[in-house]
Amino acid sequence: MAKALGVGGIFFKSKDPQALMSWYQTWLGLPVEGGEYASFAPATMPEGSSTVFSAFKANTGYFAPSKREFMFNLLVDDLDGALRQVAEGGAELVGDVQSFDYGRFGWFLDPDGNKVELWQPAAKG
């Protein structure tokens, strides 16, 4: 049986894709290439982190207040700093930062209204 080996990309629509990619490059340092996409090499991921593929129930409230049927999760090296940056860039912060043994999480709505979850993995030690 052929098997999926990982997530090869996240693709979504935007009313102005280049402006949105530029916003992410400016406020979260995404390595945007040609104004069209960002690539993350596995070697740049923190030790112990992973990419999660998960389906939620159709009536979940977890993506609120976004009206979209999806949510992004991005790994960050400094959750508090990243949240300050996106807020400075005009994002709406939503919810309170939450901490777990595997890391800290915070959320915002990007300029297109997409809910984004930021994850700072717990330090290995």
Side-chain angles (χ1 to χ4, degrees), residues 19-43:
L20 188 61
M21 293 304 295
S22 178
W23 186 89
Y24 274 97
Q25 183 176 34
T26 299
W27 299 106
L28 280 177
L30 261 69
V32 175
E33 299 178 34
E36 296 180 1
Y37 65 92
S39 295
F40 300 99

Side-chain angles (χ1 to χ4, degrees), residues 1-16:
M1 171 185 189
K3 296 179 181 165
L5 302 176
V7 175
I10 300 171
F11 307 99
F12 57 98
K13 296 177 181 179
S14 172
K15 62 183 179 257
D16 189 345

Side-chain angles (χ1 to χ4, degrees), residues 63-66 83 91-97 106-109 115-116:
F63 302 167
S66 175
L83 289 170
E92 176 187 347
L93 301 184
V94 293
D96 295 323
V97 170
W107 299 266
F108 69 91
L109 295 178
K115 188 172 182 185
V116 180

Side-chain angles (χ1 to χ4, degrees), residues 52-104:
V52 176
F53 180 88
S54 179
F56 284 69
K57 290 186 177 186
N59 63 351
T60 185
Y62 195 62
F63 302 167
S66 175
K67 303 290 188 224
R68 306 290 177 105
E69 294 183 349
F70 59 86
M71 179 180 69
F72 307 133
N73 174 296
L74 297 172
L75 287 161
V76 295
D77 59 357
D78 174 6
L79 179 62
D80 298 321
L83 289 170
R84 279 192 302 274
Q85 287 167 199
V86 298
E88 183 181 338
E92 176 187 347
L93 301 184
V94 293
D96 295 323
V97 170
Q98 296 185 11
S99 297
F100 302 92
D101 58 345
Y102 46 89
R104 298 175 64 232

